[in-house]
């Protein structure tokens, strides 16, 4: 066991809050797991592996419930998945320096969150109909975000959802469902990529506790999403979470600034 009991309890509490909040908008929480794990673990491989496993647990439950409630359209989502899986695997095989890893992650999160904030708050009149895009756009988006996801060790929904909301690709709830499913398949691909390079490392005692915690939080959050949140509410929570995590990761983990 790498952590003390008190450290593990505090970490589990943080993961419970993260899983609840993030699953309410279709995310797994991987970016925030990374930030918290970086405070208690020194091994970069342990941090990435643990975050991916927790991601996988949360979005597996979310994807099932989205599918059960007919928000998850596999046929429409397939182009994103087909192009993202091999690119997430490829990205996971790259070995980045930790500072580079966190700078890329933080900057990408900030840009995507600002785009969503603009689309949600600044734009007053939003057409009700979903916008139409050429098929290649979904393949390109899936490939690019899949590679970035594998590179930094998260599922990628936190990048994808703000972009699709900004593009008015579909309703907020369907974008949340896609984000959840996208994270699911890319987390699996990323884990395989880490395993293939012998960089998949888990602190098993801590991992079991965290997995149970995020499963509970994820189930709470997804049920809030399906019953309590409006489309605009989902967008606002998404934007705030993405921006807060992006600033935190870039400043503290990437640039190593102290406050």
């Amino acid at each position: 066991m790498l952590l003390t009991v008190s450290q593990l309890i505090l970490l589990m509490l943080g993961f419970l809050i993260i899983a609840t909040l993030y699953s309410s908008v279709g995310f797994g929480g991987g970016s925030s797991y990374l930030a918290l794990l970086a405070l208690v673990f020194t091994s970069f491989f342990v941090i990435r592996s643990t975050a991916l496993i927790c991601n996988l647990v949360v979005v597996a439950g979310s994807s099932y419930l989205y599918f059960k409630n007919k928000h998850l359209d596999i046929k429409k989502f397939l182009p994103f998945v087909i192009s993202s899986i091999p690119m997430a695997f490829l990205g996971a095989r790259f070995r980045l320096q930790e500072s580079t890893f966190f700078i890329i992650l933080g900057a990408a999160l900030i840009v995507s969150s600002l785009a969503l904030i603009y689309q949600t708050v600044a734009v007053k009149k939003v057409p009700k109909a979903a916008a139409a895009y050429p098929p290649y756009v979904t393949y390109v988006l899936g490939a690019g975000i899949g590679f970035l996801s594998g590179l930094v060790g998260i599922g990628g929904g936190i990048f994808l959802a703000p972009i699709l909301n900004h593009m008015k690709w579909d309703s907020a709830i369907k974008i949340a469902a896609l984000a959840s499913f996208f994270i699911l398949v890319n987390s699996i691909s990323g884990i395989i990529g880490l395993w293939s390079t012998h960089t998949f490392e888990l602190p098993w005692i801590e991992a079991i506790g965290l997995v149970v915690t995020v499963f509970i939080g994820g189930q709470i959050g997804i049920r809030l999403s399906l019953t309590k949140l409006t489309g605009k509410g989902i967008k606002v929570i998404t934007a705030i979470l993405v921006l807060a995590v992006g600033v935190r990761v870039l400043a503290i983990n990437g640039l190593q600034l102290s406050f």
Side-chain angles (χ1 to χ4, degrees):
M1 187 167 176
L2 301 179
L3 302 179
T4 64
V5 173
S6 59
Q7 285 178 322
L8 180 56
I9 291 173
L10 286 174
L11 192 62
M12 289 171 64
L13 179 60
F15 272 43
L16 177 66
I17 295 169
I18 291 168
T20 302
L21 288 174
Y22 277 68
S23 60
S24 69
V25 291
F27 297 162
S31 53
S32 286
Y33 301 147
L34 287 168
L36 288 185
L37 290 167
L39 298 175
V40 295
F41 291 125
T42 56
S43 171
F44 181 44
F45 302 131
V46 166
I47 292 170
R48 290 177 76 184
S49 302
T50 306
L52 276 173
I53 286 294
C54 290
N55 243 5
L56 185 61
V57 170
V58 173
V59 296
S62 298
S63 295
Y64 169 74
L65 287 176
Y66 278 130
F67 181 78
K68 183 178 178 181
N69 286 273
K70 300 181 179 179
H71 296 303
L72 207 165
D73 185 344
I74 299 294
K75 185 177 179 180
K76 189 173 183 179
F77 296 172
L78 202 57
F80 290 99
V81 174
I82 290 174
S83 58
S84 70
I85 291 176
M87 296 304 290
F89 174 81
L90 182 62
R93 292 179 61 86
F94 277 76
R95 299 194 179 203
L96 295 176
Q97 291 185 347
E98 290 188 37
S99 59
T100 303
F101 159 76
F102 284 116
I103 288 171
I104 292 173
L105 175 61
L109 292 174
I110 290 170
V111 170
S112 61
S113 68
L114 292 177
L116 181 54
I117 289 171
Y118 173 79
Q119 189 269 329
T120 306
V121 178
V123 179
K124 302 298 182 184
K125 295 181 179 180
V126 180
K128 291 184 178 180
Y133 292 93
Y136 74 86
V137 172
T138 57
Y139 288 100
V140 171
L141 272 177
I145 295 175
F147 180 78
L148 182 60
S149 304
L151 195 66
V152 299
I154 62 176
I158 201 167
F159 301 132
L160 183 63
I163 294 172
L164 292 183
N165 274 302
H166 185 66
M167 293 168 59
K168 305 177 185 66
W169 180 77
D170 210 317
S171 67
I173 191 69
K174 287 197 174 182
I175 290 174
L178 170 57
S180 184
F181 187 64
F182 190 84
I183 293 168
L184 175 65
V185 296
N186 283 322
S187 294
I188 294 172
S189 183
I191 289 170
I192 295 172
L194 292 177
W195 190 275
S196 70
T197 55
H198 307 291
T199 56
F200 182 78
E201 298 179 13
L202 279 182
W204 288 102
I205 296 177
E206 289 86 348
I208 291 171
L210 293 174
V211 161
V212 172
T213 300
V214 297
F215 175 77
I216 295 170
Q219 290 300 300
I220 295 171
I222 182 59
R223 283 167 169 77
L224 288 175
S225 172
L226 292 171
T227 60
K228 301 293 184 182
L229 293 178
T230 63
K232 186 173 182 179
I234 291 173
K235 290 181 182 180
V236 170
I237 294 174
T238 300
I240 292 172
L241 287 174
V242 174
L243 180 61
V245 174
V247 171
R248 165 70 169 75
V249 167
L250 179 62
I252 298 178
N253 299 100
L255 302 177
Q256 298 182 345
L257 302 177
S258 57
F259 298 94

